[in-house]
Amino acid sequence: MIINKIQNTHFSESEEVILRYILSQSEAIEPMTIQDIANATYTSAPLLVRISKKLGYKGWSDFKKAFLEELHYMFQSQDIDATIPFVEDDDVVTIANNILTLHSETAEDTRKLLKHDELNKAITLLSEAEVIDVYAKACYEYTGRLFQNKMHTINKNVLMMSDPILQAAMSNEKHAAVVVSYSGETSRMVKVAHMLKERHTPIVAITSISQSELSHLADAILHISSREMLNTKIADFASTESINCLFDILYAGIFAKDYNKNLDYKMTIAENIDDNFSEYAFIDEDNSKL
């Protein structure tokens, strides 16, 4: 997120004056020119350009566009605060309802952030790869493992090693990588992305809506629901749900690329290894046939 990036970037005193003004005015800067803001802060237009470049943008226009888009996204109405979805006095039923509502809103938010071309590109890159490597921080590792298990059931080789640097060092152009980072600026994941670029490995980034270093390095970008604050959130409720949704969409898209073959393979494997039984006839296929 741009605000988080501002908080983690060093600025001069004059630059901080400009940034305080921009943040205080928020959407009111939309009709303002670069010179308008320079005049309002008693600074100069080149300082605004310098700020934009420090934050990873080509110039003021690119920064302003991204800043306003992020504000518009963040100001969209949501019933539950993704950062603090419940408070001290909430009873257990209220907490449960809030978490379930948050999951529902997160799934819808993730759907709205999907872009057809980026999704199609990501699915194509992963489908064509001989090996898919997943890179994620420990807090998101479980979602990656679920994706790995699903992919194995359709005979797709997915790796998720405990040492992402070693994994990246072993990659090549026959691999494709899924790199998960909420901020897109996590030093370890950015280092991994640079290593993958050097080894000509296509990168699918699962990250927030901000213009991060990871997003600049990626070949395809899928956006996570980006309403959690990095440091004040109670837990990764929304981001984990969003990442899980995106992994499920990737799996389904890859499955659909060769639907009948994948379905036949999955059914054959299931018949050989599945010994599940349920008293509930509706979900027990053997009983339901009686």
mmCIF file of all heavy atoms in Angstrom, residues 179-206:
data_model
loop_
_atom_site.group_PDB
_atom_site.id
_atom_site.type_symbol
_atom_site.label_atom_id
_atom_site.label_comp_id
_atom_site.label_asym_id
_atom_site.label_seq_id
_atom_site.Cartn_x
_atom_site.Cartn_y
_atom_site.Cartn_z
ATOM 1 N N VAL A 179 4.843 -16.175 -6.408
ATOM 2 C CA VAL A 179 5.472 -15.488 -5.275
ATOM 3 C C VAL A 179 4.394 -14.718 -4.517
ATOM 4 O O VAL A 179 3.736 -13.843 -5.088
ATOM 5 C CB VAL A 179 6.582 -14.529 -5.743
ATOM 6 C CG1 VAL A 179 7.248 -13.861 -4.541
ATOM 7 C CG2 VAL A 179 7.624 -15.279 -6.578
ATOM 8 N N VAL A 180 4.218 -15.060 -3.250
ATOM 9 C CA VAL A 180 3.169 -14.464 -2.428
ATOM 10 C C VAL A 180 3.788 -13.477 -1.447
ATOM 11 O O VAL A 180 4.650 -13.848 -0.643
ATOM 12 C CB VAL A 180 2.384 -15.537 -1.652
ATOM 13 C CG1 VAL A 180 1.256 -14.899 -0.851
ATOM 14 C CG2 VAL A 180 1.843 -16.601 -2.597
ATOM 15 N N SER A 181 3.361 -12.221 -1.524
ATOM 16 C CA SER A 181 3.812 -11.207 -0.569
ATOM 17 C C SER A 181 2.745 -10.131 -0.472
ATOM 18 O O SER A 181 2.429 -9.483 -1.478
ATOM 19 C CB SER A 181 5.140 -10.584 -1.015
ATOM 20 O OG SER A 181 5.490 -9.492 -0.185
ATOM 21 N N TYR A 182 2.187 -9.940 0.708
ATOM 22 C CA TYR A 182 1.098 -8.965 0.871
ATOM 23 C C TYR A 182 1.561 -7.559 0.500
ATOM 24 O O TYR A 182 0.926 -6.876 -0.291
ATOM 25 C CB TYR A 182 0.588 -8.992 2.314
ATOM 26 C CG TYR A 182 -0.595 -8.080 2.561
ATOM 27 C CD1 TYR A 182 -1.819 -8.330 1.953
ATOM 28 C CD2 TYR A 182 -0.496 -6.979 3.401
ATOM 29 C CE1 TYR A 182 -2.917 -7.499 2.173
ATOM 30 C CE2 TYR A 182 -1.575 -6.152 3.631
ATOM 31 C CZ TYR A 182 -2.782 -6.408 3.014
ATOM 32 O OH TYR A 182 -3.855 -5.582 3.228
ATOM 33 N N SER A 183 2.691 -7.137 1.024
ATOM 34 C CA SER A 183 3.180 -5.792 0.729
ATOM 35 C C SER A 183 3.873 -5.706 -0.623
ATOM 36 O O SER A 183 3.890 -4.650 -1.255
ATOM 37 C CB SER A 183 4.164 -5.341 1.819
ATOM 38 O OG SER A 183 5.369 -6.102 1.755
ATOM 39 N N GLY A 184 4.444 -6.806 -1.072
ATOM 40 C CA GLY A 184 5.235 -6.784 -2.305
ATOM 41 C C GLY A 184 6.614 -6.207 -2.099
ATOM 42 O O GLY A 184 7.376 -6.033 -3.057
ATOM 43 N N GLU A 185 6.962 -5.926 -0.844
ATOM 44 C CA GLU A 185 8.256 -5.320 -0.527
ATOM 45 C C GLU A 185 9.059 -6.159 0.472
ATOM 46 O O GLU A 185 10.130 -5.731 0.904
ATOM 47 C CB GLU A 185 8.052 -3.910 0.053
ATOM 48 C CG GLU A 185 7.364 -2.933 -0.882
ATOM 49 C CD GLU A 185 8.239 -2.504 -2.057
ATOM 50 O OE1 GLU A 185 9.449 -2.812 -2.045
ATOM 51 O OE2 GLU A 185 7.701 -1.869 -2.984
ATOM 52 N N THR A 186 8.558 -7.325 0.846
ATOM 53 C CA THR A 186 9.289 -8.184 1.774
ATOM 54 C C THR A 186 10.654 -8.517 1.191
ATOM 55 O O THR A 186 10.744 -9.048 0.080
ATOM 56 C CB THR A 186 8.509 -9.485 2.042
ATOM 57 O OG1 THR A 186 7.173 -9.160 2.433
ATOM 58 C CG2 THR A 186 9.183 -10.312 3.122
ATOM 59 N N SER A 187 11.706 -8.183 1.915
ATOM 60 C CA SER A 187 13.064 -8.264 1.354
ATOM 61 C C SER A 187 13.401 -9.656 0.823
ATOM 62 O O SER A 187 13.995 -9.788 -0.255
ATOM 63 C CB SER A 187 14.091 -7.839 2.405
ATOM 64 O OG SER A 187 14.000 -8.646 3.565
ATOM 65 N N ARG A 188 12.997 -10.679 1.540
ATOM 66 C CA ARG A 188 13.322 -12.054 1.120
ATOM 67 C C ARG A 188 12.591 -12.408 -0.177
ATOM 68 O O ARG A 188 13.174 -13.014 -1.084
ATOM 69 C CB ARG A 188 12.938 -13.031 2.228
ATOM 70 C CG ARG A 188 13.585 -14.424 2.094
ATOM 71 C CD ARG A 188 13.430 -15.168 3.405
ATOM 72 N NE ARG A 188 13.997 -16.504 3.380
ATOM 73 C CZ ARG A 188 15.283 -16.786 3.530
ATOM 74 N NH1 ARG A 188 16.147 -15.810 3.698
ATOM 75 N NH2 ARG A 188 15.715 -18.031 3.512
ATOM 76 N N MET A 189 11.329 -12.021 -0.293
ATOM 77 C CA MET A 189 10.571 -12.333 -1.501
ATOM 78 C C MET A 189 11.039 -11.485 -2.694
ATOM 79 O O MET A 189 11.045 -11.952 -3.827
ATOM 80 C CB MET A 189 9.078 -12.127 -1.252
ATOM 81 C CG MET A 189 8.477 -13.145 -0.304
ATOM 82 S SD MET A 189 8.680 -14.847 -0.901
ATOM 83 C CE MET A 189 9.143 -15.687 0.607
ATOM 84 N N VAL A 190 11.435 -10.253 -2.427
ATOM 85 C CA VAL A 190 11.984 -9.418 -3.507
ATOM 86 C C VAL A 190 13.301 -10.005 -4.006
ATOM 87 O O VAL A 190 13.553 -10.044 -5.217
ATOM 88 C CB VAL A 190 12.179 -7.963 -3.019
ATOM 89 C CG1 VAL A 190 12.980 -7.146 -4.033
ATOM 90 C CG2 VAL A 190 10.824 -7.302 -2.769
ATOM 91 N N LYS A 191 14.135 -10.476 -3.090
ATOM 92 C CA LYS A 191 15.393 -11.122 -3.492
ATOM 93 C C LYS A 191 15.115 -12.362 -4.331
ATOM 94 O O LYS A 191 15.769 -12.601 -5.360
ATOM 95 C CB LYS A 191 16.207 -11.507 -2.254
ATOM 96 C CG LYS A 191 17.551 -12.155 -2.595
ATOM 97 C CD LYS A 191 18.366 -12.451 -1.340
ATOM 98 C CE LYS A 191 19.706 -13.090 -1.711
ATOM 99 N NZ LYS A 191 20.532 -13.371 -0.493
ATOM 100 N N VAL A 192 14.129 -13.147 -3.912
ATOM 101 C CA VAL A 192 13.724 -14.332 -4.678
ATOM 102 C C VAL A 192 13.302 -13.931 -6.089
ATOM 103 O O VAL A 192 13.702 -14.556 -7.074
ATOM 104 C CB VAL A 192 12.571 -15.071 -3.955
ATOM 105 C CG1 VAL A 192 11.836 -16.003 -4.916
ATOM 106 C CG2 VAL A 192 13.106 -15.868 -2.773
ATOM 107 N N ALA A 193 12.491 -12.877 -6.202
ATOM 108 C CA ALA A 193 12.000 -12.433 -7.514
ATOM 109 C C ALA A 193 13.149 -12.009 -8.422
ATOM 110 O O ALA A 193 13.149 -12.310 -9.624
ATOM 111 C CB ALA A 193 11.003 -11.296 -7.332
ATOM 112 N N HIS A 194 14.132 -11.312 -7.876
ATOM 113 C CA HIS A 194 15.293 -10.909 -8.676
ATOM 114 C C HIS A 194 16.072 -12.140 -9.155
ATOM 115 O O HIS A 194 16.511 -12.184 -10.316
ATOM 116 C CB HIS A 194 16.204 -9.992 -7.863
ATOM 117 C CG HIS A 194 15.756 -8.565 -7.828
ATOM 118 N ND1 HIS A 194 15.852 -7.722 -8.924
ATOM 119 C CD2 HIS A 194 15.198 -7.822 -6.827
ATOM 120 C CE1 HIS A 194 15.384 -6.528 -8.607
ATOM 121 N NE2 HIS A 194 14.972 -6.562 -7.341
ATOM 122 N N MET A 195 16.229 -13.124 -8.285
ATOM 123 C CA MET A 195 16.930 -14.354 -8.669
ATOM 124 C C MET A 195 16.179 -15.085 -9.774
ATOM 125 O O MET A 195 16.772 -15.602 -10.726
ATOM 126 C CB MET A 195 17.104 -15.257 -7.446
ATOM 127 C CG MET A 195 18.043 -14.710 -6.391
ATOM 128 S SD MET A 195 18.115 -15.758 -4.905
ATOM 129 C CE MET A 195 18.901 -17.246 -5.560
ATOM 130 N N LEU A 196 14.853 -15.117 -9.662
ATOM 131 C CA LEU A 196 14.042 -15.793 -10.682
ATOM 132 C C LEU A 196 14.141 -15.075 -12.026
ATOM 133 O O LEU A 196 14.188 -15.723 -13.080
ATOM 134 C CB LEU A 196 12.586 -15.853 -10.221
ATOM 135 C CG LEU A 196 12.316 -16.726 -8.986
ATOM 136 C CD1 LEU A 196 10.889 -16.521 -8.493
ATOM 137 C CD2 LEU A 196 12.571 -18.202 -9.288
ATOM 138 N N LYS A 197 14.184 -13.755 -12.001
ATOM 139 C CA LYS A 197 14.342 -12.976 -13.230
ATOM 140 C C LYS A 197 15.652 -13.332 -13.921
ATOM 141 O O LYS A 197 15.716 -13.501 -15.147
ATOM 142 C CB LYS A 197 14.309 -11.478 -12.917
ATOM 143 C CG LYS A 197 12.930 -10.871 -12.915
ATOM 144 C CD LYS A 197 12.273 -10.996 -14.279
ATOM 145 C CE LYS A 197 11.038 -10.187 -14.421
ATOM 146 N NZ LYS A 197 10.249 -10.514 -15.614
ATOM 147 N N GLU A 198 16.713 -13.430 -13.135
ATOM 148 C CA GLU A 198 18.026 -13.779 -13.685
ATOM 149 C C GLU A 198 18.027 -15.166 -14.312
ATOM 150 O O GLU A 198 18.786 -15.431 -15.246
ATOM 151 C CB GLU A 198 19.080 -13.714 -12.579
ATOM 152 C CG GLU A 198 19.348 -12.300 -12.061
ATOM 153 C CD GLU A 198 20.222 -12.298 -10.819
ATOM 154 O OE1 GLU A 198 20.633 -13.406 -10.385
ATOM 155 O OE2 GLU A 198 20.496 -11.209 -10.292
ATOM 156 N N ARG A 199 17.156 -16.038 -13.816
ATOM 157 C CA ARG A 199 17.100 -17.414 -14.312
ATOM 158 C C ARG A 199 15.970 -17.614 -15.324
ATOM 159 O O ARG A 199 15.645 -18.730 -15.682
ATOM 160 C CB ARG A 199 16.932 -18.367 -13.113
ATOM 161 C CG ARG A 199 18.214 -18.489 -12.303
ATOM 162 C CD ARG A 199 17.984 -18.915 -10.862
ATOM 163 N NE ARG A 199 19.250 -19.026 -10.149
ATOM 164 C CZ ARG A 199 19.955 -17.992 -9.711
ATOM 165 N NH1 ARG A 199 19.508 -16.760 -9.895
ATOM 166 N NH2 ARG A 199 21.108 -18.181 -9.092
ATOM 167 N N HIS A 200 15.378 -16.515 -15.782
ATOM 168 C CA HIS A 200 14.340 -16.523 -16.827
ATOM 169 C C HIS A 200 13.130 -17.367 -16.433
ATOM 170 O O HIS A 200 12.505 -18.029 -17.266
ATOM 171 C CB HIS A 200 14.923 -17.020 -18.155
ATOM 172 C CG HIS A 200 16.140 -16.268 -18.587
ATOM 173 N ND1 HIS A 200 16.084 -14.963 -19.019
ATOM 174 C CD2 HIS A 200 17.458 -16.629 -18.613
ATOM 175 C CE1 HIS A 200 17.314 -14.550 -19.322
ATOM 176 N NE2 HIS A 200 18.159 -15.529 -19.071
ATOM 177 N N THR A 201 12.805 -17.354 -15.138
ATOM 178 C CA THR A 201 11.633 -18.051 -14.637
ATOM 179 C C THR A 201 10.441 -17.097 -14.615
ATOM 180 O O THR A 201 10.509 -16.044 -13.974
ATOM 181 C CB THR A 201 11.873 -18.584 -13.206
ATOM 182 O OG1 THR A 201 13.004 -19.461 -13.209
ATOM 183 C CG2 THR A 201 10.648 -19.324 -12.690
ATOM 184 N N PRO A 202 9.345 -17.416 -15.296
ATOM 185 C CA PRO A 202 8.155 -16.551 -15.241
ATOM 186 C C PRO A 202 7.631 -16.439 -13.814
ATOM 187 O O PRO A 202 7.625 -17.421 -13.067
ATOM 188 C CB PRO A 202 7.152 -17.267 -16.152
ATOM 189 C CG PRO A 202 7.964 -18.186 -16.990
ATOM 190 C CD PRO A 202 9.140 -18.581 -16.169
ATOM 191 N N ILE A 203 7.176 -15.240 -13.449
ATOM 192 C CA ILE A 203 6.720 -14.976 -12.088
ATOM 193 C C ILE A 203 5.251 -14.555 -12.090
ATOM 194 O O ILE A 203 4.868 -13.614 -12.781
ATOM 195 C CB ILE A 203 7.551 -13.854 -11.429
ATOM 196 C CG1 ILE A 203 9.030 -14.243 -11.371
ATOM 197 C CG2 ILE A 203 7.015 -13.533 -10.027
ATOM 198 C CD1 ILE A 203 9.936 -13.087 -10.948
ATOM 199 N N VAL A 204 4.457 -15.265 -11.295
ATOM 200 C CA VAL A 204 3.086 -14.845 -11.005
ATOM 201 C C VAL A 204 3.101 -14.299 -9.581
ATOM 202 O O VAL A 204 3.397 -15.027 -8.631
ATOM 203 C CB VAL A 204 2.094 -16.017 -11.114
ATOM 204 C CG1 VAL A 204 0.698 -15.572 -10.682
ATOM 205 C CG2 VAL A 204 2.070 -16.575 -12.531
ATOM 206 N N ALA A 205 2.827 -13.009 -9.436
ATOM 207 C CA ALA A 205 2.821 -12.388 -8.114
ATOM 208 C C ALA A 205 1.411 -12.365 -7.549
ATOM 209 O O ALA A 205 0.465 -11.991 -8.239
ATOM 210 C CB ALA A 205 3.367 -10.966 -8.194
ATOM 211 N N ILE A 206 1.284 -12.789 -6.296
ATOM 212 C CA ILE A 206 0.040 -12.628 -5.542
ATOM 213 C C ILE A 206 0.349 -11.602 -4.471
ATOM 214 O O ILE A 206 1.078 -11.885 -3.512
ATOM 215 C CB ILE A 206 -0.427 -13.964 -4.939
ATOM 216 C CG1 ILE A 206 -0.774 -14.959 -6.049
ATOM 217 C CG2 ILE A 206 -1.619 -13.756 -4.031
ATOM 218 C CD1 ILE A 206 -1.299 -16.299 -5.559
#
